Amino acid sequence: MITAGIDVGSKTVKVVILQDGKILARSLVLTGFEQGKAAEEAFALALKQAGLSAKDIQKVVATGAGRTSVSFATESVSDVAADARGAVFINPNARTVIDVGAEEGRGISTDTRGKVIDFAVNERCAAGAGTFTEAMSRAIEVKLEDMGELSLKSTQEIPLNAQCAVFAESEVVSLVHAKTSKEDIARAIHDGISNRIAAMARRVGVQNDIVLIGGVARNKGFVASLKRQLEADIKIPDEPEYVGALGAAVIAAS
Amino acid sequence: MTLDRAKEIVTNRHDYAREWKKKTGSKVMGYFCTYVPEEIVYAAGVLPIRVIGSHEAQSYTEPHIYTMFCPFSRDVLAQGLRGKYDYLDGIMIGHSCLHLRQAFGAWMTNVPASFSYYMYTPAKIQSPHAKEMMLAETTEFKKAVENWLGRPITDDALDKSIEVYNTNRRLLKQIYELRKADPPPLFGSEAIELVLSSQLSDKAEHNKLLESVLKELPQRRNGPQGGNIRLMIIGSEDDDTNFLRYVEGLGATIVADEHCTGSRYFWNETVPEKDRLRAIGNRYMNRPPCPTKDWESRRRFVHIMNMAKEYNIQGAILVQQKFCDPHEFDIPPLKALLEKNGIPSLFLEFDITVPIGQFRTRVEAFLEMLQLEVV
Amino acid sequence: MVTSIKKYQTRPLDSFKKAVELRKEYYQNVREAKQQGKLLITGGADSMVALPAGLGDYVFFEGEPYGATISMDPEFSGKCVEAAEAKNFARDMCAYMRNYWGSMFLNKYYFGGEFPKPDFVMQLGFCDTHAKWMQQVGEYMNAPYFGIDMPVGTPGRNVEAKVKYLTSQMNDAIEWMQKVTGRKYDDDKLREAVRNECKSSTLWSEIVCYNKAIPAPLEQRLIFTLFIICILRRYERKSVEFYETLRDEVKQRVADGIAAVATERCRLMDDSQPPWYFLQLYKYMEKYGVSVVGSHYSFFLGGSLEEMPDGSLGAPKTPDEMGMPMKTREDILRAYALWYIKKPIISQMFALPHFKSETMLRLVKEWKVNGVIFHLNRGCEGTAMGQMENRLALTKAGIPVMTYEGNMADRREFDEAQTLRRIDAFMESLGLSKLES
């Protein structure tokens, strides 16, 4: 059976095509203003990679914030269900799934079959982990992809105290003015975000294995901060941003 | 300088309490709000210490307290959840605000202790009947402590406890009296450390500390300079002495305060009477109030304005723990009242960690403005 | 839990219209109290509202329901909360209060005309906000203010001392009210008002017990419309009459198997006040076949439940039914004090979290609830207190729980899209999908 999962996130759309438990293709495109169009584009791209046409796909399941915009989906599931299912598919020992994307962070506790036991989504004040890092990288004039490496070179811990991203931003600005090194600011930013993500994850009860997914999982600085906060090891799949889409494809196949 | 010893107690508060326990073989009780009759605990041979936070970012409390509650209450709870107070034998709280009550409830539920007690401390302290209600509660509390320890608390022990506590209050007040001078012999950050160390240590020992501070202060050479801007700090629980040091490094001296980590804690003494519990309870009803207990009329502002006058205040910093409802009620009318009396004020909202960088511009601008007014 | 969809019979509730009328009339009475020759008193919804009855005709203008009412009108509410903020009051303070204060600062009554000027202000304080809210009102409106301190946090302890503390304060309040109004105090009128209040409350308690039935004859939105009389007008005879009629009607609905939600297949409970401006939330859940059968808040703001001889929760007896003497003023005040000491909203919600957790677990069991939704309500520190520990206690007992963040009366703090997505995810985890209409 061939299925597809489409994860329409606030920033990117991800597609995974799955055949009998094997990934045939993956694609990722920017969401932009028209979610529906982006979904079609991403789907077409994945089909091309797999050398298939739309009629070869028996079932398409959409997930993500913009999941209702996928007109060609057979059905849709919530992000938490897709995340849990995808994470357990990759790592059967996954019990806590932490998904950190551009706009939303989620903590999910799952059973052995990838069924959601409990979940928490970041509250409004702690929203936008991914977007926030991006904005902050601009504030300290560093490329987003360099933020992680940079923060690993930090020599001191500076707490970013503000709960709210807007206030945190003004704090970062004052650190810049105080001539704090970029390394230390980068770490402070990651510490600040991971602190809020860890707090959210603790709500559902953190149990091994902890699997971190979503685009922000690629940021080594963030991962280091989160490990410190949770005082635990964290597993990161090879393609962390595709886990939601993969979960949707798995659900489609079941 | 003995002042350094006070700072040391505050910094190494856990070591102090652990050593005290080892030395005396007695129990330690943590209390969550200053509206508790500490004298009863002390009379029982148990050391009452105030539970305060550590000003470190943490991710432990979110499953237990929702983030709309004040940073102090969350910081306090984090200490318990992280086991920082694992030497406590008991915990207690006096009825005050919902924020700390929540920290207490979550602590009680999640951190084991052999004794935990919620005491109803009346809120309408202005009612002529509050003292009677307080007496009923202190009586029950005393019984509970006696049951816990398996021995009675004698009148004699209560008398001694009251005496030790009153001496502590008197000595602190004497030191505060010296701050009326220009220059005062000690910094505001040091004064707060004296009060905090009192809350964190055995009062009999602390009395000795205060006595030697009183002896040393007249000879002190490295105190604040004369002619500095004279500031008062007013508001919520405030143990962030780093921030105070920062302000006092900018050409200002904090000469007075109105915090429960400051003057509100010790300003009045217990007036002895035959019924010891009544005497103890009355003192808490008569102390300078927390805003949550200040109604229908506003007695708190009288204390503030008296202090402002007596200490010749030029400006005030209003410190509020973010989301602290009781203080959020008082700050707008207080700001207006200070202004009416020619005292400019700066409002700052404190979080678990204080963003000195963010406050810098505001504090500096405020002090600049005050300097211009002096000229 | 999900079975094939059975459709229950449903029909509109006759008492609904009456409740709406009574509420409308109340707000009119507030506006016209002076013309009607009645005293106008303002204070909190949990005040001892029967106490001024001895002075003669009066209207008790309650702050919280008025704040909730304003919040349903985005434009007016926006102006009100901004007016409060313009006076430097923090935006994280009680959202009911900021709406009420804003209306007062703007001197605009929501139902037309100027903000009603009270003859005096009377409050019962057991939240950080209550007493201080009305302190500001007294000062701003230049109206005399009396606050009564309600001992909370220690259920079961020092009950006699608490009764004495409350009755002493009530006696002071009576003296004080006579002084500030120049009226004489009539104990017979007090007795009648206390009786009305207690009876309204027990009737309401009886009514919510009928909601144990499957299908539930009432659901939360309906409950909110019905419970308000027991808040606003509980000291009036009209309130008792209303609840007697309602009780009979709900009883009949249960006998006839009438559902509030025809497609009921999952029963949920929620917690804290809802976002009043977004009650569509309940309608949205109905699409999944969910009936929200009540909450600690909606049951206990007006009512009270206690253990019956058979071990189940049921309506308590009124002081008269318990055989308490109600002859002298002291008798009445004593009964009234005990009534407030026992109120679960006061004794449980404002105490340490396990008191409320235990009750919630019982409600879940007896009302046959499949899951609980917590509104983490930034607008009310009182009902938000302990919510996270309550959540943990329910989770520990194996009850599915969901939370969403919001504010009961300040929509700037509510994210509609995110909330609905969370609900979708929660429904999915309960194994529910939307029903075809």
Side-chain angles (χ1 to χ4, degrees):
Chain A
M1 183 181 190
I2 306 178
T3 60
I6 302 195
D7 177 5
V8 186
S10 57
K11 188 132 182 268
T12 54
V13 177
K14 280 83 57 179
V15 175
V16 168
I17 297 178
L18 193 72
Q19 181 174 26
D20 303 327
K22 257 190 73 185
I23 296 172
L24 296 182
R26 285 189 198 93
S27 68
L28 183 147
V29 303
L30 289 176
T31 309
F33 282 106
E34 288 181 63
Q35 293 174 326
K37 238 178 112 185
E40 279 169 28
E41 238 176 80
F43 189 46
L45 199 64
L47 286 172
K48 204 176 144 198
Q49 268 180 37
L52 298 170
S53 70
K55 63 176 180 355
D56 298 325
I57 313 290
Q58 279 146 291
K59 209 171 168 192
V60 180
V61 170
T63 186
R67 66 190 200 235
T68 50
S69 62
V70 186
S71 55
F72 52 93
T74 330
E75 58 184 70
S76 72
V77 293
S78 68
D79 334 55
V80 285
D83 282 354
R85 210 48 190 277
V88 170
F89 181 81
I90 295 172
N91 177 355
N93 295 324
R95 291 299 167 270
T96 305
V97 183
I98 302 174
D99 179 354
V100 187
E103 285 302 333
E104 205 169 76
R106 286 181 282 273
I108 304 155
S109 74
T110 166
D111 69 9
T112 49
R113 293 164 302 146
K115 189 178 174 302
V116 176
I117 298 169
D118 193 5
F119 69 95
V121 182
N122 59 223
E123 302 304 346
R124 290 186 70 201
C125 288
T131 312
F132 178 66
T133 321
E134 200 177 329
M136 291 306 96
S137 69
R138 277 198 297 273
I140 60 170
E141 296 173 346
V142 166
K143 274 195 236 149
L144 177 61
E145 52 271 31
D146 295 340
M147 283 284 280
E149 285 292 346
L150 194 67
S151 73
L152 294 176
K153 290 182 197 132
S154 157
T155 52
Q156 63 165 331
E157 194 182 337
I158 304 164
L160 261 195
N161 89 303
Q163 265 179 37
C164 164
V166 178
F167 288 112
E169 182 162 356
S170 82
E171 246 188 277
V172 168
V173 170
S174 55
L175 289 176
V176 172
H177 290 160
K179 307 258 183 286
T180 312
S181 78
K182 288 185 180 182
E183 287 82 1
D184 291 342
I185 299 181
R187 168 162 175 193
I189 291 162
H190 293 135
D191 281 351
I193 299 166
S194 66
N195 177 272
R196 287 182 245 147
I197 297 293
M200 178 197 72
R202 284 186 198 283
R203 270 204 203 178
V204 297
V206 178
Q207 278 184 61
N208 286 331
D209 286 357
I210 306 165
V211 176
L212 177 66
I213 62 171
V216 180
R218 288 196 185 271
N219 179 330
K220 286 179 189 156
F222 170 79
V223 174
S225 291
L226 189 63
K227 278 184 184 169
R228 271 196 301 272
Q229 292 284 347
L230 291 175
E231 295 160 357
D233 191 33
I234 295 170
K235 308 256 194 275
I236 299 159
D238 290 340
E239 306 283 348
E241 60 273 71
Y242 289 98
V243 177
L246 173 64
V250 174
I251 291 170
S254 61
Chain B
M1 277 289 289
T2 314
L3 279 173
D4 297 334
R5 173 69 189 139
K7 189 183 178 192
E8 202 182 301
I9 293 174
V10 176
T11 313
N12 303 318
R13 63 195 77 141
H14 301 305
D15 295 338
Y16 176 92
R18 280 202 187 90
E19 272 161 36
W20 186 92
K21 245 181 115 157
K22 221 165 96 188
K23 195 169 67 189
T24 60
S26 304
K27 291 183 159 62
V28 180
M29 189 184 310
Y31 64 86
F32 279 55
C33 167
T34 54
Y35 273 103
V36 299
E38 278 180 66
E39 294 92 327
I40 296 173
V41 180
Y42 192 74
V46 174
L47 177 66
I49 56 166
R50 184 170 187 184
V51 179
I52 55 178
S54 69
H55 300 287
E56 292 164 313
Q58 54 85 18
S59 60
Y60 292 85
T61 53
E62 199 151 311
H64 307 280
I65 299 192
Y66 179 38
T67 51
M68 67 182 268
F69 291 91
C70 89
F72 177 62
S73 64
R74 283 178 279 131
D75 198 4
V76 159
L77 177 62
Q79 307 309 307
L81 296 173
R82 298 176 76 174
K84 297 279 167 86
Y85 279 94
D86 57 2
Y87 54 85
L88 290 182
D89 300 284
I91 52 165
M92 83 158 301
I93 188 171
H95 177 87
S96 57
C97 69
L98 296 168
H99 300 250
L100 267 181
R101 192 180 313 165
Q102 236 199 163
F104 183 83
W107 185 310
M108 198 179 117
T109 313
N110 299 285
V111 186
S114 66
F115 181 84
S116 59
Y117 198 88
Y118 188 99
M119 187 178 125
Y120 181 73
T121 307
K124 190 181 177 184
I125 54 171
Q126 296 177 18
S127 164
H129 313 291
K131 287 174 180 158
E132 214 51 47
M133 185 66 222
M134 182 68 177
L135 176 63
E137 280 293 312
T138 47
T139 305
E140 284 302 308
F141 175 60
K142 177 170 167 275
K143 275 190 218 157
V145 175
E146 287 171 334
N147 281 338
W148 176 46
L149 299 173
R151 57 173 188 264
I153 300 168
T154 62
D155 277 353
D156 201 35
L158 284 171
D159 288 341
K160 280 191 191 125
S161 174
I162 291 171
E163 181 48 38
V164 169
Y165 269 72
N166 273 351
T167 305
N168 196 262
R169 290 161 184 149
R170 205 174 305 134
L171 289 167
L172 279 169
K173 214 166 170 186
Q174 278 172 30
I175 292 171
Y176 264 54
E177 191 66 28
L178 300 175
R179 302 171 75 193
K180 288 179 180 170
D182 185 42
L186 75 168
F187 290 102
S189 51
E190 294 168 332
I192 293 288
E193 270 159 4
L194 285 176
V195 182
L196 278 171
S197 58
S198 163
Q199 297 181 342
L200 297 169
S201 65
D202 183 331
K203 292 269 194 296
E205 287 176 16
H206 198 258
N207 287 342
K208 286 182 200 143
L209 183 152
L210 293 177
E211 276 163 10
S212 68
V213 167
L214 264 171
K215 261 189 223 130
E216 288 166 13
L217 283 177
Q219 276 86 47
R220 189 180 192 192
R221 294 284 165 267
N222 59 346
Q225 288 176 7
N228 273 357
I229 297 283
R230 298 178 65 84
L231 288 182
M232 179 171 179
I233 46 171
I234 304 175
S236 302
E237 189 281 344
D238 176 16
D239 58 73
D240 204 314
T241 47
N242 283 343
F243 172 74
L244 304 181
R245 284 211 161 75
Y246 163 72
V247 173
E248 294 191 300
L250 297 173
T253 306
I254 295 162
V255 299
D257 71 74
E258 195 267 350
H259 287 291
C260 61
T261 39
S263 72
R264 283 213 301 271
Y265 178 64
F266 66 82
W267 210 244
N268 66 327
E269 291 181 27
T270 301
V271 182
E273 55 180 284
K274 194 163 176 304
D275 186 341
R276 276 83 168 173
L277 293 184
R278 188 181 287 276
I280 290 170
N282 286 355
R283 187 252 161 205
Y284 289 88
M285 298 295 95
N286 290 332
R287 61 167 264 197
C290 167
T292 195
K293 297 195 188 295
D294 196 32
W295 45 280
E296 296 109 340
S297 63
R298 295 188 187 269
R299 293 186 185 167
R300 179 176 171 236
F301 291 178
V302 176
H303 172 65
I304 292 172
M305 294 318 294
N306 282 343
M307 248 193 144
K309 214 169 132 191
E310 286 173 19
Y311 285 78
N312 195 20
I313 299 301
Q314 290 162 286
I317 298 185
L318 307 180
V319 172
Q320 187 216 306
Q321 291 281 337
K322 200 173 169 65
F323 307 133
C324 168
D325 292 87
H327 282 277
E328 284 173 347
F329 278 99
D330 273 18
I331 281 168
L334 177 60
K335 204 169 167 58
L337 180 68
L338 288 167
E339 231 158 72
K340 218 176 92 191
N341 285 276
I343 302 171
S345 62
L346 172 70
F347 168 68
L348 295 176
E349 221 174 39
F350 274 34
D351 212 320
I352 290 181
T353 56
V354 165
I356 288 194
Q358 242 177 342
F359 285 171
R360 178 173 291 133
T361 7
R362 280 190 269 171
V363 174
E364 285 174 4
F366 179 63
L367 293 178
E368 238 170 64
M369 181 190 83
L370 291 177
Q371 261 140 9
L372 287 177
E373 273 186 22
V374 175
V375 173
Chain C
M1 131 210 5
V2 187
T3 49
S4 62
I5 301 147
K6 181 167 89 185
K7 266 207 164 188
Y8 294 106
Q9 232 191 322
T10 184
R11 65 172 179 242
L13 192 80
D14 294 335
S15 301
F16 182 85
K17 230 180 90 189
K18 184 70 184 165
V20 173
E21 262 168 42
L22 284 169
R23 175 173 170 276
K24 198 174 153 204
E25 187 184 67
Y26 166 81
Y27 283 113
Q28 211 170 321
N29 289 344
V30 169
R31 192 178 56 198
E32 291 162 9
K34 295 277 159 60
Q35 289 111 288
Q36 296 171 0
K38 292 174 183 165
L39 286 171
L40 182 73
I41 302 147
T42 194
D46 299 295
S47 298
M48 294 173 139
V49 291
L51 204 55
L55 301 169
D57 286 347
Y58 69 112
V59 183
F60 203 105
F61 178 30
E62 297 179 357
E64 292 89 338
Y66 180 61
T69 299
I70 292 176
S71 79
M72 296 187 208
D73 178 337
E75 208 193 316
F76 190 66
S77 176
K79 283 183 189 152
C80 288
V81 292
E82 277 165 24
E85 280 156 25
K87 298 248 179 212
N88 289 321
F89 288 105
R91 72 183 268 176
D92 56 271
M93 296 173 95
C94 169
Y96 285 157
M97 178 180 77
R98 288 183 290 116
N99 278 291
Y100 173 106
W101 274 0
S103 164
M104 174 178 83
F105 293 145
L106 295 169
N107 194 23
K108 278 190 183 138
Y109 183 50
Y110 182 62
F111 298 92
E114 296 189 344
F115 189 81
K117 165 112 174 66
D119 291 286
F120 62 85
V121 184
M122 179 164 270
Q123 179 66 298
L124 182 70
F126 53 89
C127 167
D128 294 348
T129 295
H130 290 140
K132 300 295 277 187
W133 170 345
M134 290 301 155
Q135 180 178 45
Q136 181 66 31
V137 173
E139 287 172 0
Y140 188 83
M141 298 300 289
N142 197 20
Y145 168 38
F146 195 97
I148 296 178
D149 182 19
M150 178 75 213
V152 291
T154 58
R157 189 199 303 157
N158 266 334
V159 174
E160 271 314 308
K162 286 175 188 162
V163 169
K164 191 161 170 250
Y165 186 40
L166 285 171
T167 52
S168 306
Q169 293 183 79
M170 284 191 266
N171 272 311
D172 287 358
I174 290 171
E175 288 307 309
W176 177 89
M177 286 188 292
Q178 296 188 84
K179 215 172 79 197
V180 300
T181 61
R183 296 199 184 189
K184 275 218 112 40
Y185 197 85
D186 179 351
D187 290 340
D188 291 337
K189 288 183 176 154
L190 169 70
R191 185 183 303 106
E192 199 196 324
V194 169
R195 279 183 170 150
N196 288 339
E197 176 172 345
C198 297
K199 193 67 200 167
S200 295
S201 172
T202 57
L203 282 165
W204 176 248
S205 311
E206 210 182 313
I207 291 161
V208 303
C209 286
Y210 284 115
N211 234 30
K212 291 178 185 178
I214 296 179
L218 304 172
E219 55 72 45
Q220 191 75 317
R221 257 190 340 160
L222 205 50
I223 289 172
F224 288 144
T225 304
L226 302 170
F227 86 158
I228 196 65
I229 308 311
C230 196
I231 319 295
L232 299 174
R233 309 185 69 164
R234 58 187 188 267
Y235 53 93
E236 292 180 58
R237 182 69 210 154
K238 276 186 178 179
S239 165
V240 176
E241 286 160 5
F242 168 73
Y243 286 109
E244 278 167 351
T245 313
L246 177 64
R247 188 256 330 263
D248 295 342
E249 199 188 348
V250 175
K251 192 176 171 184
Q252 194 56 48
R253 276 168 86 89
V254 173
D256 298 347
I258 301 298
V261 176
T263 53
E264 175 183 315
R265 57 173 175 159
C266 172
R267 295 158 68 92
L268 297 182
M269 198 166 91
D270 64 356
D271 188 61
S272 187
Q273 300 92 325
W276 289 110
Y277 43 83
F278 194 68
L279 295 176
Q280 298 99 294
L281 198 69
Y282 298 98
K283 205 79 197 154
Y284 185 78
M285 287 191 273
E286 279 181 25
K287 289 187 194 161
Y288 284 95
V290 166
S291 179
V292 177
V293 297
S295 62
H296 190 279
Y297 165 76
S298 71
F299 287 0
F300 294 139
L301 192 61
S304 186
L305 293 168
E306 57 186 43
E307 195 162 292
M308 298 290 107
D310 68 357
S312 68
L313 289 175
K317 288 184 167 135
T318 63
D320 287 303
E321 287 159 1
M322 281 184 281
M324 289 183 72
M326 292 286 278
K327 271 180 79 170
T328 64
R329 181 186 295 180
E330 281 313 305
D331 291 341
I332 306 164
L333 294 185
R334 181 182 168 78
Y336 202 37
L338 277 166
W339 191 255
Y340 273 73
I341 288 170
K342 280 204 306 194
K343 270 188 156 189
I345 206 98
I346 298 172
S347 68
Q348 291 176 7
M349 195 180 282
F350 287 85
L352 299 172
H354 61 272
F355 292 106
K356 186 179 151 201
S357 297
E358 281 157 21
T359 304
M360 286 183 87
L361 285 166
R362 291 199 67 168
L363 296 181
V364 164
K365 196 169 152 239
E366 289 191 35
W367 271 257
K368 304 161 192 87
V369 165
N370 306 112
V372 179
I373 296 180
F374 282 86
H375 174 210
L376 299 177
N377 181 358
R378 285 188 167 265
C380 177
E381 52 156 347
T383 57
M385 193 186 74
Q387 276 190 308
M388 296 306 276
E389 284 298 331
N390 299 144
R391 174 192 173 276
L392 285 172
L394 293 174
T395 307
K396 212 171 136 192
I399 297 155
V401 171
M402 177 204 132
T403 62
Y404 72 96
E405 188 180 55
N407 186 312
M408 63 190 176
D410 187 343
R411 69 174 64 211
R412 295 173 303 182
E413 294 197 302
F414 180 71
D415 185 333
E416 186 181 318
Q418 202 199 43
T419 304
L420 294 183
R421 272 176 45 220
R422 279 195 202 192
I423 289 188
D424 290 339
F426 186 55
M427 295 298 143
E428 197 179 75
S429 72
L430 290 172
L432 300 173
S433 52
K434 277 186 192 165
L435 301 168
E436 301 300 325
S437 50

